[in-house]
Amino acid sequence: MASLVVGSVVWVEDSDIAWIDGEVVEVNGEDIKVLCTSGKTVLVKTSNVYPKDAEAPPCGVDDMTKLAYLHEPGVLQNLKSRYDMNEIYTYTGNILIAVNPFRKLPHLYDSHMMAQYKGAAFGELSPHPFAVADAAYRLMINEGISQSILVSGESGAGKTESTKLLMRYLAYMGGRAAAEGRTVEQQVLESNPVLEAFGNAKTVRNNNSSRFGKFVEIQFDRRGKISGAAIRTYLLERSRVCQVSDPERNYHCFYMLCAAPPEDIQRYKLGNPRTFHYLNQSNCYELDGVDDSKEYIATRRAMDVVGIGSDEQDAIFRVVASILHLGNIEFAKGKEIDSSVPKDEKSWFHLRTAAELLMCDEKLLEDSLCKRVIVTRDETIIKWLDPESAAFSRDALAKILYSRLFDWIVDKINSSIGQDPDSKILIGVLDIYGFESFKTNSFEQFCINLTNEKLQQHFNQHVFKMEQEEYTKEEINWSYIEFVDNHDVLDLIEKKPGGIIALLDEACMFPRSTHETFAQKLYQTFKDHKRFSKPKLSRSDFTICHYAGDVTYQTELFLDKNKDYVVAEHQALLSASKCSFVSGLFPPLAEESSKSSKFSSIGSRFKQQLQSLLETLSTTEPHYIRCVKPNNLLKPSIFENKNTLQQLRCGGVMEAIRISCAGYPTRKPFDEFVDRFGLLAPDILDGSSDEVAACKKLLEKVRLQGYQIGKTKVFLRAGQMAELDTRRTEVLGRSASIIQRKIRSYLARRSFTVLRRSALQIQSVCRGQLARKVYEGLRREAASLRIQRDLRMHLARKAYKELCSSSVSIQTGMRGMAARNELRFRRQTRAAIIIQSQCRKYLAQFHYLMLKKAAVATQCAWRGRVARKELQKLKMAARETGALQAAKNKLEKQVEELTWRLQLEKRMRVDMEEAKTQENVKLQSALLDMQLQFKETKEFLAKEREAAKRAAELVPVIQEVPVVDHVMLEKLTSENEKLKAMVSSLEKKIDETEKKFEETNKISEERLNQALEAESKIVQLKTVMHRLEEKISDMESEKQVLRQQTLLNSPAKKILEHPPIPVIPNLENGHHMDEGNKSNELQMLTPVKKVGTESDGKLRRSNLERQHENVDALINCVTKDIGFSHGKPIAAFTTYKCLLQWKSFEAERTNVFDRLIQMIGSAIENEENNGHMAYWLSNTSALLFLLQKSLKAAGSSRKPPTSTSLFGRMTMGFRSSTSSNNLAAAAALAVVRQVEAKYPALLFKQQLAAYVEKIYGIIRDNLKKELSSLLSLCIQAPRTSKGSVLRSGRSFGKDSPSTHWQSIIDSLNTLLSTLKENFVPPVLIQKIFTQTFSYINVQLFNSLLLRRECCTFSNGEFVKAGLAELELWCCQAKEEYAGLSWDELKHIRQAVGFLVIHQKYRISYDEITNDLRPILSVQQLYRICTLYWDDNYNTRSVSPNVISSMRILMTEDSNDAVGNSFLLDDNSSIPFSVDDLSNSLQEKDFLEVKPAEELLENPSFQFLHE
């Protein structure tokens, strides 16, 4: 180790916490004094301390090869730091170390996390088992080489859970998307509960410890999909069946069966587990938080899942119950010498029950336990066994039964899963027990540690290979590095013929050998072996020096546990069982081997299995996961240094570090090396722009030997980093002294300046105080003179005021008395006058009242007489009032009837106009036909007459014969008269109809003008409600019509339920005439029209052909890019006008919609061209808008409630009329007209909406795909060297980072201009960019949380600058197109804002959550705070109190899987509806749109000119 100086920070070994850090306070040769952080001072040797990296980040590094000092305390401290931050995974090169958190962390293992690690380079993201699995899968796919993942660790370290995670990820990557039944990966995962029930047990360190090794082979096909699997098991701990030490338990299945439902317990004759010998050797019968009865049901269900039938399950649990009953059979001495028999009635009961469960003979079972048959050449000898031997025989039967049962279950699972014989590649996951060292170590620990020694050798070779690859990659010389191997230990254990296993097999074959003789043989054979030793106070134990430490083994049970022979009596008994399952477990042996017990060694068989496993591993590319249990309490947030360090040694991590230290343990990239040690030679860096040259000159100047310069890194030998740090510390110390000297000088100068300034201030204050005292005296003298003057003035004024007040009081009293006397006299005079006036008033009033009374009496008498006469007249008139009331009611009814008729007349006015127009046209055509026919008849008659005249002239008159057919002439004349009469009647009818129409129109206009003002107000109030009702009714009826049409149009129902449909003539575009229209047409035809019925067939065929030609012309036209008119797509408008003219929306059957959908689908096949896709998005969205405004499902129209008032009914009658204020709406209706849509039209609308969503998604995904590669470059700022930046003013060959952000801006601008050029609706543009910005937010934020190198101060500034570019783009694009895009970046904005905050350690948790970053969750804040590190100024993150507060909140919410996920999910849904699109456009926008020029020239499309 390099020389230490005072002030150096080192690690010192500690008996309590393994290693403790401290500062060197004194150096005395090889002895140094260290002041530890605990406060104690220790004196140690320099060879016993390790240097500590004072600049290591407080939260540790994710890859321990990045540590400046790769040694035990550095590794331990790094793991502890990360564990405190809830980072349980750490790399050591390509080895993953997993520390068990003893809590649920669902956010680390959800589907979002698997998606993040899919395809990511190893080491790019945070350490994780998914990264190891992904690396193995990628290597297998890319190179075609089988892979293996070795998961190791002691009991309770989390090996099984890690294996499950690996299986989940491999199923995620290689699982089949669609398969019949359960997939292979599901079956493998579902087999775990069954294997755990029969192969796991509670141990001292773990409640669910696997007592067997498991190697899962997952086979893949050529496409990388899982095609098969197989499970291999190793060394089931059979001795646990019969021997259990306290406080452990036997295998779980025994306790599950004892807690089974009552009917099963009664069937198997079981009871409390305390009553069975194989279970009551320990006092532990139940596990905390585990219900064995529920586990039994769950195991049964798992057996069903993996393909074990109910009969096989019953047989399995019969065997398990029989083993428990066998254990309760006790033996006593029999009548014969050295014989044995069941001890009592209880033993006999269990014997009979065991025989019944195994379906074998009770007597034969007894004989197989108590007797042995020895076959010699001459005879067969039956030998009795003593009670002890009988008990051994019973235990042997129980063990072989359970072992065969477990092997059968494994084979059954393998056969159920199925293997792929054609598979050439696989990934194997090895879940193997870790190194074990207890107080008592028996044969199982010996085999387990042998396994770990073999795997450690394989691990060492792999680590050395990785070191070689690293050195080769960096092109450095490594030929002289020695490889550390443990071959001598393996030779000690398994070498033939002198290894421990060979000697154990030899001892087992001799009947009289004991464990003591075996131990003595070992002592004699290996007395000089450096890895073997004999404990001092033991006669039969031995110690082996393993790679993880010394382990002492007790040989008492080595011989018994190594014997694996099947007793011939047991074999014969169980082979003859009536239960096919039991007999299948013990197939018949060869004839020679069935006569006697055949010896087989478990050690030798296990060694063969192990060799086979290693051969399999050697053909694969290995990956390693080392699981660590941080404490023996199995509780979270507790990290025991000594326990963890021991596991790191047992797991081979320290051995791997030792291999690394043999070469170049310290590897620093050039920029980091220059940043750290550039101050040792600052003159070398001046003006230099080459980091490699700078590193070489720096190392040459400090005269360091043995280093290597690679292509990207500097490689240092062990101890050289400490030597450089020592020199760096000296330079920093000298610099500190200079800084201190300057500071002290500055402080002294500042103190003198302050002292001088203070003296001047004191002097000025004293002089001021004296002047103030003199001035105060002068002021007091002046004040006393003023006080005297004011006092005299006050006294004089007071005397004057008192005299004045007295005189005023006397005057007031005298004047008041005189005034009161005057007032009294006036009151008396006024009272007398009032009395006189009241008396005179009373007398006059009395006289008037008497006179008035007499006059009133006279008037009343006369008026009464006159009123009686009038009453008689009124009684006569009352009889006529009823008739007047009836007349009044009749008039009101007539008014209401006239009003109702007016409403009908108004509603039918438009229909009348259309009917009149059609009738006029038909009448005119009929009149023309009649005139033509009349003309033809007249011409025919004239010809006949001319012919008759010519005949009369030629032939002489012999006999008078009538030439003209008078009958025919009269008939024609009569028909002519009838036609004339009909024409005249029709003309009269037309005139009358025109007159009536004019009168009706005048009346309507008058009434319309009267109700116009009231109508406008009511219509405005009710229009909104009416539209909402119609929209709801349209949607409901549309769904109902679609549902009914779907059911009615099924081929089966058409064939079975409906009779053949008669042929109906087609109309335009393939429509069919309904019955109502047909009857109307027939009624309007005249008799002359029937003459042309023979040509209807040809006319119908020509119409059909013309319709097909029109559709083809439309399809050919709109398929081309025909551009836009007034900002609207011409193709969509032209298509809508044609469909409206052809009445396609009202057709029950038509194929025009299918052709349009097919045309759109073929047009958007080129998904890469955004311009083409934008053109069709504009067309489809515009056409969808027009359909939304036009189509109304049949039967969906609802009449508004009729108003009861006359004015209300008039208003409802005039609602549909037009007015001068609604000219714009009328013009819009000329473009968009509502029609009753049939099923094909509604289906076309749905398909069109689906295409709008599809094209929208294509454009959005194209933009995301274009930005994804740029975002990966924008999340991390390019690394620059501090020394080069400070000295040369520029980085070493780094490009400007702004180009990546500019590329993103260019992509956004390109797409925006494309969408604008194609007039895509602004609402769709807003949604595209909103979702794109949300995608940017998700990608940047997730990358920030998954990469520690991104959570830095400088990287925050880099990303913040890029976000400012995006904000500027949003401002330039304006809200019309950008919308709320900027708000979608809220997560990355707040995260980046936190990174660039200064003095984070002063911020409290409430300030972070409430004020600074309210959007981020606790998990996200915790992740950012723990990953943060300042690469510029080395400032601290938030305080430990804030971290602890976050950890507490996360622990409280740990059961909520959703709440614990700190990653964001990208939303790929469609964020708009058809209503949103309809609200963004208006009908009047299409008023000035011109149809396609190509179709305007076609005569069949003349309607487009209208």
Side-chain angles (χ1 to χ4, degrees), residues 776-1033:
E776 185 67 23
L778 296 175
R779 284 184 62 193
R780 290 176 66 84
E781 183 179 353
S784 62
L785 295 175
R786 176 170 287 187
I787 289 171
Q788 292 174 7
R789 184 189 64 192
D790 291 344
L791 179 60
R792 295 189 188 101
M793 179 182 66
H794 171 69
L795 293 176
R797 186 186 294 111
K798 183 178 181 183
Y800 170 76
K801 286 184 176 181
E802 288 177 355
L803 181 60
C804 182
S805 173
S806 300
S807 62
V808 169
S809 297
I810 293 171
Q811 292 175 0
T812 303
M814 293 301 292
R815 290 171 183 160
M817 185 175 65
R820 283 190 291 275
N821 290 334
E822 180 69 21
L823 178 63
R824 190 182 301 112
F825 173 75
R826 290 183 179 181
R827 283 182 177 176
Q828 290 175 356
T829 303
R830 187 171 59 180
I833 295 172
I834 291 173
I835 291 171
Q836 292 174 1
S837 65
Q838 290 295 326
C839 183
R840 294 186 184 117
K841 172 185 174 185
Y842 171 73
L843 293 175
Q845 187 176 13
F846 179 76
H847 178 71
Y848 169 75
L849 289 176
M850 293 300 290
L851 183 62
K852 181 179 179 182
K853 185 176 181 181
V856 169
T858 304
Q859 291 176 358
C860 287
W862 176 254
R863 288 172 180 161
R865 182 180 177 184
V866 174
R868 281 189 293 274
K869 291 182 179 180
E870 187 70 23
L871 178 63
Q872 291 178 358
K873 294 180 181 180
L874 291 175
K875 285 182 179 180
M876 295 296 292
R879 297 171 184 173
E880 300 177 0
T881 307
L884 293 174
Q885 184 67 32
K888 177 184 176 183
N889 293 337
K890 185 176 181 181
L891 289 174
E892 289 181 351
K893 290 182 180 178
Q894 289 178 354
V895 171
E896 291 180 358
E897 184 177 356
L898 289 174
T899 305
W900 179 77
R901 288 181 179 178
L902 179 61
Q903 292 173 0
L904 287 178
E905 182 179 343
K906 191 63 178 178
R907 292 176 183 173
M908 295 175 62
R909 186 176 62 179
V910 177
D911 297 336
M912 290 175 61
E913 291 177 356
E914 294 179 356
K916 184 187 72 173
T917 304
Q918 294 176 0
E919 186 176 1
N920 289 336
V921 173
K922 291 178 181 178
L923 289 175
Q924 290 175 0
S925 62
L927 180 60
L928 292 174
D929 292 341
M930 290 178 186
Q931 291 175 353
L932 291 174
Q933 189 174 2
F934 177 75
K935 186 177 181 181
E936 291 175 356
T937 306
K938 195 173 182 180
E939 292 177 353
F940 178 75
L941 183 59
K943 290 179 181 179
E944 288 289 335
R945 287 177 178 175
E946 291 177 358
K949 289 180 180 180
R950 286 194 298 268
E953 292 175 356
L954 294 175
V955 181
V957 179
I958 300 174
Q959 186 180 359
E960 289 185 359
V961 179
V963 178
V964 180
D965 189 354
H966 295 285
V967 178
M968 187 65 183
L969 182 62
E970 290 176 357
K971 185 177 179 181
L972 293 174
T973 305
S974 62
E975 287 182 358
N976 190 13
E977 294 296 331
K978 289 180 182 180
L979 290 174
K980 289 181 179 179
M982 186 181 294
V983 170
S984 61
S985 63
L986 289 174
E987 289 177 351
K988 290 179 181 179
K989 287 182 181 180
I990 292 171
D991 295 336
E992 291 175 358
T993 304
E994 289 179 352
K995 292 179 180 179
K996 289 181 180 179
F997 174 72
E998 291 176 357
E999 294 175 358
T1000 305
N1001 195 13
K1002 291 179 180 179
I1003 296 172
S1004 299
E1005 288 179 356
E1006 292 176 357
R1007 293 176 180 177
L1008 177 62
N1009 292 330
Q1010 294 174 359
L1012 187 59
E1013 295 180 358
E1015 177 196 2
S1016 60
K1017 295 181 181 179
I1018 295 175
V1019 168
Q1020 289 176 359
L1021 294 175
K1022 292 186 178 181
T1023 299
V1024 177
M1025 182 180 68
H1026 186 59
R1027 286 180 179 176
L1028 292 175
E1029 291 177 355
E1030 286 182 348
K1031 186 182 294 184
I1032 295 172
S1033 64

Side-chain angles (χ1 to χ4, degrees), residues 106 250 256 331 394 477 479 577 664 707 948 1019 1068 1195 1409 1432:
N250 213 318
M256 292 179 187
F331 298 95
R394 172 202 66 192
N477 184 18
S479 57
S577 172
Y664 298 95
Y707 63 86
V1019 168
E1068 289 188 4
T1409 55
N1432 285 345

Side-chain angles (χ1 to χ4, degrees), residues 477-635:
N477 184 18
W478 53 271
S479 57
Y480 56 88
I481 300 175
E482 297 181 359
F483 172 59
V484 181
D485 199 1
N486 59 344
H487 193 70
D488 52 350
V489 181
L490 296 176
D491 289 343
L492 170 67
I493 298 174
E494 62 179 1
K495 185 178 180 180
K496 289 185 178 182
I500 295 177
I501 294 179
L503 296 177
L504 180 61
D505 293 345
E506 182 181 344
C508 290
M509 287 187 290
F510 289 99
R512 295 185 179 182
S513 295
T514 63
H515 67 280
E516 293 181 348
T517 59
F518 169 64
Q520 293 299 324
K521 183 68 173 178
L522 293 179
Y523 299 154
Q524 294 176 5
T525 306
F526 305 114
K527 59 182 179 180
D528 297 329
H529 202 287
K530 63 179 180 179
R531 295 276 192 168
F532 183 90
S533 62
K534 174 183 177 301
K536 295 181 179 179
L537 301 178
S538 176
R539 298 178 56 187
S540 60
D541 298 350
F542 65 94
T543 301
I544 296 178
C545 180
H546 291 284
Y547 71 94
D550 295 347
V551 180
T552 300
Y553 299 97
Q554 287 71 37
T555 61
E556 280 79 2
L557 300 176
F558 261 56
L559 273 67
D560 294 333
K561 292 181 178 181
N562 188 46
K563 296 176 182 177
D564 189 31
Y565 57 85
V566 178
V567 179
E569 290 77 7
H570 298 167
Q571 175 73 29
L573 171 72
L574 298 177
S575 297
S577 172
K578 297 179 181 178
C579 177
S580 60
F581 179 82
V582 176
S583 60
L585 295 179
F586 293 87
L589 300 176
E591 183 177 357
E592 62 274 5
S593 60
S594 62
K595 296 179 181 179
S596 61
S597 300
K598 180 176 178 60
F599 171 76
S600 175
S601 167
I602 288 181
S604 299
R605 186 162 60 90
F606 177 73
K607 189 172 68 171
Q608 294 173 0
Q609 289 182 344
L610 190 57
Q611 186 62 32
S612 174
L613 172 64
L614 289 173
E615 290 176 357
T616 302
L617 294 178
S618 63
T619 60
T620 63
E621 184 69 24
H623 307 266
Y624 293 92
I625 297 179
R626 294 297 191 238
C627 299
V628 176
K629 182 171 64 175
N631 61 81
N632 290 324
L633 301 176
L634 310 183
K635 293 183 179 180

Side-chain angles (χ1 to χ4, degrees), residues 195-353:
L195 293 178
E196 288 180 0
F198 289 89
N200 288 25
K202 179 190 180 304
T203 62
V204 178
R205 299 182 178 179
N206 187 10
N207 290 342
N208 189 32
S209 175
S210 300
R211 305 317 298 163
F212 66 99
K214 180 174 67 175
F215 185 69
V216 181
E217 295 180 358
I218 304 176
Q219 300 161 349
F220 294 83
D221 57 18
R222 295 179 179 178
R223 298 176 301 165
K225 299 297 182 182
I226 296 177
S227 59
I231 300 175
R232 318 290 182 201
T233 58
Y234 302 94
L235 190 62
L236 177 70
E237 190 178 352
R238 297 193 305 173
S239 61
R240 183 174 289 271
V241 177
C242 306
Q243 299 171 354
V244 182
S245 58
D246 195 33
E248 298 186 351
R249 288 206 323 173
N250 213 318
Y251 290 104
H252 295 325
C253 60
F254 294 113
Y255 303 92
M256 292 179 187
L257 190 58
C258 291
E263 58 272 15
D264 289 352
I265 293 178
Q266 185 177 3
R267 185 193 312 165
Y268 302 130
K269 298 180 182 180
L270 298 175
N272 194 297
R274 291 176 174 81
T275 61
F276 294 99
H277 171 66
Y278 285 165
L279 304 182
N280 59 18
Q281 300 174 34
S282 170
N283 293 323
C284 180
Y285 300 97
E286 298 176 352
L287 298 177
D288 295 337
V290 178
D291 188 348
D292 288 322
S293 59
K294 294 181 180 179
E295 292 296 324
Y296 173 78
I297 297 174
T299 303
R300 281 267 195 174
R301 193 180 301 113
M303 286 181 169
D304 292 333
V305 171
V306 299
I308 301 177
S310 57
D311 295 339
E312 294 174 333
Q313 293 179 29
D314 293 337
I316 289 171
F317 286 108
R318 277 205 314 272
V319 173
V320 174
S322 67
I323 292 173
L324 291 178
H325 287 292
L326 283 175
N328 280 11
I329 301 175
E330 299 180 359
F331 298 95
K333 291 185 178 180
K335 298 179 181 179
E336 302 290 337
I337 300 175
D338 292 335
S339 64
S340 60
V341 293
K343 183 177 181 181
D344 48 19
E345 184 59 32
K346 177 183 176 182
S347 299
W348 280 104
F349 168 77
H350 288 290
L351 179 66
R352 288 192 296 270
T353 304

